[in-house]
Amino acid sequence: MSSPSFLFFDLETTGADPAFDRPLQFAAIRTNLELEPIGEPIVWYARPSIDCLPHPAAVMTTGLLPDDPVLARADSEANLANRIYRLVNQPNTCVVGFNNLRFDAPMLRFLFWRNLLDPYRHEWADGNSRFDVLDAARAYRLLRPDALNWPVNGQGNPTLRLSELSAANGLMHEQAHDALSDVEATIDLARRLRDADPDLWTRLLAARDKRAVARLVDNRDLAPFLHVSPRLPARTASASMFCSLGQVDANRNRRECWDLRFDPEPWMDLDADTWAERRFVRNPAPDAEDGASDLRLPVKGIHLNRVPVVLPADMLDESGVAQRMVIDRARVHRHADFLRRHVGELRERLLAAIEATEGAFPPKPVEEALYAGFVPRADRSHLEDWWSRARGMRSRDEAVAHARDLLAWSFEDPRLAELAEGFVARNLPEALDAPARERWQRRLVEQLRPGGRVQGQDVETVPAGRDFPAMFHEVERLRNSEAWTPEQRALLGPYAVWLADREEELQSSAVAPGA
């Protein structure tokens, strides 16, 4: 069994949507638990997938054009996925990043899903776990403000952007939005936080075990606890006090929790339909904590298995914490007392409100349908066996024959036949028969809409998408945007040339409608 370790990683991608976009660069450094590097840094690249047009804003952010020689020489997405999968599934690995729980981690899950690998195994099996240094930094800013210099943005508001934290604190960060440089800066930041308060660092790491989180959240007495989250207002240090209303749906790892800044008593006079209407209104104004007539329902979901920052209520008593949270401890206690006395009635209204607002969602492309359900055990076993044998193959001919075996399999999960066909089309297209090639070409044309531009469109009114018309529109919209440097905007010209070439290539190979 491997010794416990952290694997710090970062991704540079084709865009900001984890379900749709694709990794182009992966970097990682493994460390021991003392945050000392083990082995050499890793930097891997992947070619852009044929069915995913990189967003021009991502090109300007990363500096990676789709036809950059480093990408042209790079591995397929399938091979990159396999290499990353084996790395993060080394036993006793804690996968760590900066904002990884909300971006890089779901990006990895969808990468594994598209490439027929288990999307979740690396997060829990064989002693593995995950952790986010951004969440830790947010907790330190509240609880240990002397740990770092905390920068503000141009509007004077606090910011936790890695590049600005690095500049304010002299962290090792040579090139922002280069994956390896971001990894090095994240490790340096983690060391600074740990050294500033090792006990707090240990407490935050303990949340990798959902049982430890449950002991605090699911306490019998409905005792309040402190929760820090980016979904809470920056003006309150992204923190508040909560009581759990318990599990309210089939998700055993989710708890609905009442924000104790807000008095639950007025909500007792509102029916479940009003609660349902209030679930998704905009966040309340800073001075609107007393009434319920125009407030968003002050209930927040906390996932026990997503390493939430939850801490004992007595941390609110430490010097300056309540002031930074702009919270009244006496009000919190009054609200918690009322909630304990009426928790059954509050839960009943919440359950009815959730039932009224949980509707069916429109179907998604199969590559984005990861969360439509878990893969049946028999299908997962077959895919694991298929990948195990694929890793031992040494020739393209062997791989093509093996891909045809995959396409011939009868899957129990209705998503997997189409997912497998797309996987083969992107990586071993010669393994497809003629009908499958036609289906794939039709999918590409329907998704990317080559030739769909309308001359004279107002660039401010055309809706954004991820097809050729939308990407050409985005190029024009961004050309004069002062949010980007001249050097970044200079990348739009070569990107537009690549985009036009790619569009022409797809049009020339497309299957005619009705063929």
Side-chain angles (χ1 to χ4, degrees), residues 387-409:
W387 260 111
S388 179
R389 287 182 286 130
R391 293 183 181 109
M393 293 181 177
R394 295 293 178 263
S395 73
R396 184 85 176 183
D397 288 343
E398 277 187 292
V400 167
H402 194 46
R404 288 176 178 151
D405 289 342
L406 176 69
L407 295 174
W409 184 260

Side-chain angles (χ1 to χ4, degrees), residues 13-14 54-66 484 488 491-492 495:
T13 65
T14 60
H55 196 286
V59 171
M60 291 193 291
T61 298
T62 65
L64 285 171
L65 286 160
W484 304 88
Q488 288 174 316
L491 295 171
L492 292 173
Y495 170 79

Side-chain angles (χ1 to χ4, degrees), residues 277-293:
E277 292 172 3
R278 291 279 144 202
R279 281 192 76 195
F280 303 112
V281 300
R282 296 187 65 181
N283 285 328
D287 58 351
E289 293 185 2
D290 289 317
S293 61

Side-chain angles (χ1 to χ4, degrees), residues 1-22:
M1 186 69 74
S2 303
S3 299
S5 65
F6 294 119
L7 184 74
F8 286 83
F9 84 106
D10 186 64
L11 298 170
E12 300 300 336
T13 65
T14 60
D17 183 349
F20 176 82
D21 282 296
R22 316 295 165 87

